[in-house]
Amino acid sequence: MMQERLFPATAMPDQDWWQALWPDPVGVIKALRVERGMTVVDLGCGDGYFTAAIARQVGPGRVIGFDLDPAMLEQAQAACEGLANCDWLLGDAMDLSRLIPAPVDYVLIANTFHGVPNPTALSREVAAALKPGGRFAIVNWHPITREQTPVLGQPRGPRTDLRMSCAQTQAVVEPAGFALEAQVELPPFHYGAIFIRPH
């Protein structure tokens, strides 16, 4: 898979355990402070599991599913069938600000930030894609061992050494011009770090 070659340990998981881990994707999106009317980029949207939830949450707003793997974008489009407020972009995340038609309110990257080769450079690119006051949310696995994060009886998630604490995430994102707004617990094994781009 293209994503796995470029971002270590970020292959899209099997649907069965992914749905067991995230039974309420809309609840996750609400906890991350995605609001009605926003334009949101789901960066590395994969099969669209969270893209569909964002589309439902933003209502008259829009979601842009963004991925570098055309096969994943096809799956995401299928997952969002019937939702009229979805757009799709194929490309490299490091070209985000040049590929989106206009600055957005919110960028979400879920479960892939641990594999980004240069997270501060990516964060700068996200900052360039956001409106002043826009939010950048990163959903990460807590930095505990893989054996401590079982789903359906098997260890899941990235290798233990790739996992990042909120403080480690903050240390690589804030130099790009962000300030941490909140850390949100996403049980059982994740947190969401919500950053704001100052006005």
Side-chain angles (χ1 to χ4, degrees), residues 68-181:
L68 53 76
D69 187 335
M72 284 288 100
L73 274 185
E74 283 183 20
Q75 289 185 40
Q77 287 173 305
C80 296
E81 189 175 355
L83 296 167
N85 59 340
C86 301
D87 298 304
W88 308 99
L89 276 176
L90 177 70
D92 187 320
M94 292 306 298
D95 296 323
L96 176 65
S97 68
R98 292 177 287 284
L99 292 174
I100 58 172
V104 298
D105 301 297
Y106 197 112
V107 174
L108 169 67
I109 183 167
N111 302 296
T112 54
F113 195 73
H114 61 267
V116 172
N118 188 333
T120 302
L122 177 62
S123 300
R124 286 194 188 97
E125 184 59 25
V126 169
L130 283 169
K131 297 175 182 175
R135 289 181 175 134
F136 177 30
I138 298 166
V139 174
N140 270 339
W141 293 76
H142 275 297
I144 54 180
T145 67
R146 198 166 185 269
E147 290 67 36
Q148 291 174 287
T149 56
V151 185
L152 299 182
Q154 293 186 39
R156 305 289 187 176
R159 296 194 322 256
T160 302
D161 63 298
L162 289 174
R163 300 183 183 209
M164 302 172 71
S165 68
C166 189
Q168 289 171 313
T169 301
Q170 196 175 351
V172 296
V173 171
E174 288 192 337
F178 287 99
L180 183 68
E181 182 181 47

Side-chain angles (χ1 to χ4, degrees), residues 35-65:
E35 298 165 6
R36 188 170 175 81
M38 282 182 164
T39 298
V40 178
V41 173
D42 186 6
L43 190 59
C45 66
D47 68 3
Y49 192 69
F50 285 115
T51 321
I54 295 166
R56 292 184 176 96
Q57 173 64 9
V58 298
R62 300 202 68 78
V63 60
I64 301 169

